[in-house]
Amino acid sequence: MSDRIFGIACLLLAGFYLVSASTIELGFIETPVGPRAFPYIIGAVLAISALYPIFVPDAPPEWPDMRGLVEIAFAAAVMFAYAWLLPTGGFVLCTAVAAAVLSWRLGTTPLAAATAGVAISVGIYVVFHLVLGLSLARGPWGF
């Protein structure tokens, strides 16, 4: 049942998106494709994709027990704290701590979780900041 509800919600969202795309004003200089083409494509793909869960739903899901719900709430709290502390703590430190805590909760040893957190944080920093030149939140150490 939840698959069908999700499919219907996506279908309604696709309809809203397509109607909104039709209100994009055209400029006096038009290209062969026009500014509405990309939003129409996105809306059409979303509408077509929404039909699958409506007509071919999965079996009813097995919901987690109370322990699983607590784990989900803890992971959400870690992500909220990450977003809240990111401007002051900086990308590298906050990402390392959040990735380490989440890795630990997924079942790794504390040492492996800390190693994974540092590796993930430094790896993302190198790719996004040093290679691609994107701006990331600076921490107390200036990076």
Side-chain angles (χ1 to χ4, degrees):
M1 183 67 173
S2 60
D3 289 346
R4 289 193 170 122
I5 293 171
F6 175 72
I8 292 169
C10 287
L11 197 58
L12 291 172
L13 180 64
F16 174 75
Y17 195 79
L18 289 169
V19 168
S20 296
S22 69
T23 63
I24 295 174
E25 293 186 26
L26 301 175
F28 64 91
I29 300 175
E30 280 194 47
T31 61
V33 177
R36 294 180 184 167
F38 186 70
Y40 280 152
I41 292 170
I42 297 296
V45 169
L46 180 60
I48 292 168
S49 300
L51 295 176
Y52 184 80
I54 293 172
F55 294 114
V56 187
D58 288 338
E62 292 183 26
W63 294 99
D65 57 358
M66 185 55 100
R67 185 177 189 282
L69 291 174
V70 169
E71 289 289 336
I72 292 169
F74 179 75
V78 168
M79 295 309 295
F80 280 116
Y82 172 75
W84 184 56
L85 295 171
L86 191 62
T88 57
F91 178 83
V92 175
L93 177 65
C94 290
T95 302
V97 171
V101 169
L102 292 175
S103 296
W104 171 63
R105 293 311 309 147
L106 286 172
T108 63
T109 63
L111 180 62
T115 305
V118 170
I120 289 167
S121 177
V122 171
I124 293 173
Y125 180 81
V126 166
V127 170
F128 284 97
H129 185 69
L130 300 179
V131 174
L132 297 176
L134 297 176
S135 177
L136 299 174
R138 293 188 179 273
W141 302 292
F143 58 87

